[in-house]
Amino acid sequence: MEIQNKAMLITYADSLGKNLKDVHQVLKEDIGDAIGGVHLLPFFPSTGDRGFAPADYTRVDAAFGDWADVEALGEEYYLMFDFMINHISRESVMYQDFKKNHDDSKYKDFFIRWEKFWAKAGENRPTQADVDLIYKRKDKAPTQEITFDDGTTENLWNTFGEEQIDIDVNSAIAKEFIKTTLEDMVKHGANLIRLDAFAYAVKKVDTNDFFVEPEIWDTLNEVREILTPLKAEILPEIHEHYSIPKKINDHGYFTYDFALPMTTLYTLYSGKTNQLAKWLKMSPMKQFTTLDTHDGIGVVDARDILTDDEIDYASDQLYKVGANVKKTYSSASYNNLDIYQINSTYYSALGNDDAAYLLSRVFQVFAPGIPQIYYVGLLAGENDIALLESTKEGRNINRHYYTREEVKSEVKRPVVANLLKLLSWRNESPAFDLAGSIIVDTPTDTTIVVTRQDESGQNNAVLTADAANKTFEIVENGQTVMSSDNLTQN
């Protein structure tokens, strides 16, 4: 199935019920036509980071089901899989073979061998200045020692968690692995491949080893050359200043709108619509919009869309207005990996306020691109403090495990029923044609009018909203579709 201009659900295989069969049932019985695509977060055998330390891409984790379950979803929904192009698990065949056979292993060039990497740069490298230059996720050099079966040791590049060992994407053996893995994903139903942490994949001496140009484009082009004949698209994942996703978009790739979440929070906290209007006018059509994901709410992504003072204001208000949102939940004491993200569900970030939350989703629907809705957000979920405290993982505040019974109860809540109705309408409306246009006006400081029109000019949808009062009206081709006055009530 080709990518459709319909909302995409983001979910783990065991977050809406126990497994993939349950996810499929939830979609058919409880969600209906509000969702047209599914981003299945990593469902392969993994040794950490909730699936993002894959050990074997050839199998579905047996706890979730099998390839038949994945393919059954693909018959009804367009699918996105994750490919962790930067790293792989220590339990992978590649690592284990390398550990056993050292330089006699076929995988001796699969990983980035720290000492050999720097030896090519000259003697006495790396210096402290070299290490300081690296764009790191840790407070030390991004390395991990490997002890080979022959008793010798060396260091491997290790950007993220202890289970996630970096791959040398420029080696022939890694290129072969990338090609066969991507081809297999498409064979099993992937229409879109999310390249996780791709900006870290290219390492080069005398750079910060993050989005290294021009080499990063060579890597992306190699992936594109594999997937284009298979009619699959790429979605590079990167949390950074919006200018970097713009570069990627200018090269013809889908990108994420990670600036929208914080910009929308600022709009709803302050009641001012000017910055949201500015961003909607700047945004590309070939993108997937987000308000929430399996990670935290990005802060750095909105830099220069919001001023530093506005970002500080929105961040402070998030802790004041948000329900059960505390700074400590986004700190090292709760294993937070990214100081530029805040851990909270989007519903709780808005104080569990139904009106504010629904309006945030209305803004997302009218933004350029295709909406992605995280499963907790689809059900307007509150912060899961019990899961957070039991695991001491900050991001688990937004990773609740829903039972089938919980889902059936949650979809009856008015805020969820209205959101599903909104998405169902958006999925069928021709006004949101990605080849069409968007016009944005701000009649007053607190109001915004967004007009979406298809390429032919025959269909339009107009949103008129007041961010201060949390009210809105949606009109399609002259007929009111939804407004604050005609929502589903208790």
Side-chain angles (χ1 to χ4, degrees), residues 71 104 117 181 486:
E71 290 165 11
D104 292 329
F117 176 89
T181 302
N486 68 1

Side-chain angles (χ1 to χ4, degrees), residues 258-277:
F258 286 140
L260 187 63
M262 185 59 74
T263 303
T264 299
L265 286 180
Y266 170 78
T267 301
L268 293 170
Y269 292 153
S270 69
K272 299 175 182 177
T273 57
N274 59 321
Q275 301 295 46
L276 176 62

Side-chain angles (χ1 to χ4, degrees), residues 5-42:
N5 184 12
K6 293 184 178 182
M8 172 178 268
L9 171 71
I10 309 169
T11 186
Y12 293 99
D14 59 345
S15 288
L16 295 171
K18 296 179 180 179
N19 51 41
L20 289 163
K21 283 186 171 65
D22 282 355
V23 170
H24 203 163
Q25 264 196 318
V26 164
L27 285 167
K28 290 198 292 186
E29 296 177 11
D30 305 308
I31 306 304
D33 56 7
I35 292 297
V38 181
H39 172 194
L40 281 177
L41 291 164

Side-chain angles (χ1 to χ4, degrees), residues 4 6-10 27 31-39 76-78 371-373 378 420 423-424 427:
Q4 298 179 310
K6 293 184 178 182
M8 172 178 268
L9 171 71
I10 309 169
L27 285 167
I31 306 304
D33 56 7
I35 292 297
V38 181
H39 172 194
E76 297 181 55
Y77 307 92
Y78 69 97
Q372 280 191 342
I373 315 292
L378 188 68
L420 296 179
L423 293 174
S424 296
N427 289 343

Side-chain angles (χ1 to χ4, degrees), residues 125-328:
R125 303 287 292 271
T127 64
Q128 187 59 49
D130 289 327
V131 174
D132 290 344
L133 181 60
I134 298 170
Y135 189 101
K136 294 183 290 294
R137 299 289 290 265
K138 304 177 178 183
D139 57 2
K140 63 182 183 67
T143 64
Q144 183 179 141
E145 186 176 82
I146 180 172
T147 302
F148 298 98
D149 287 6
D150 62 14
T152 61
T153 63
E154 62 179 86
N155 287 289
L156 301 181
W157 205 297
N158 174 216
T159 299
F160 296 99
E162 294 300 295
E163 289 293 328
Q164 297 159 304
I165 309 302
D166 290 28
I167 297 168
D168 184 352
V169 295
N170 291 315
S171 66
I173 189 70
K175 288 178 187 288
E176 178 186 339
F177 162 74
I178 291 168
K179 184 174 189 295
T180 57
T181 302
L182 294 175
E183 289 174 343
D184 194 54
M185 286 182 166
V186 176
K187 183 181 76 174
H188 289 299
N191 312 105
L192 189 64
I193 304 294
R194 177 184 185 269
L195 292 183
D196 178 71
F198 91 99
Y200 294 90
V202 175
K203 280 79 169 178
K204 185 178 179 181
V205 172
D206 297 325
T207 74
N208 68 354
D209 302 298
F210 183 85
F211 201 78
V212 177
E213 297 182 274
E215 288 82 357
I216 194 69
W217 300 113
D218 296 334
T219 299
L220 276 175
N221 287 335
E222 287 170 8
V223 173
R224 176 184 261 173
E225 287 171 6
I226 296 166
L227 293 177
T228 297
L230 304 176
K231 298 183 179 178
E233 292 269 6
I234 306 166
L235 179 56
E237 181 262 348
I238 183 169
H239 280 283
E240 246 304 327
H241 191 274
Y242 72 87
S243 59
I244 295 183
K246 184 180 185 304
K247 281 185 183 181
I248 298 167
N249 197 270
D250 288 345
H251 278 73
Y253 296 95
F254 270 103
T255 49
Y256 275 110
D257 183 354
F258 286 140
L260 187 63
M262 185 59 74
T263 303
T264 299
L265 286 180
Y266 170 78
T267 301
L268 293 170
Y269 292 153
S270 69
K272 299 175 182 177
T273 57
N274 59 321
Q275 301 295 46
L276 176 62
K278 178 178 73 176
W279 177 236
L280 294 180
K281 293 175 184 177
M282 293 168 60
S283 295
M285 283 290 180
K286 191 172 182 177
Q287 67 172 358
F288 284 88
T289 66
T290 67
L291 291 183
D292 47 1
T293 68
H294 63 285
D295 288 329
I297 297 170
V299 176
V300 67
D301 310 84
R303 198 176 64 227
D304 294 332
I305 297 162
L306 302 178
T307 66
D308 289 347
D309 286 345
E310 288 167 339
I311 288 175
D312 289 344
Y313 167 80
S315 299
D316 290 343
Q317 287 298 111
L318 205 161
Y319 292 115
K320 292 178 183 177
V321 175
N324 291 315
V325 184
K326 298 179 181 179
K327 289 185 178 181
T328 186

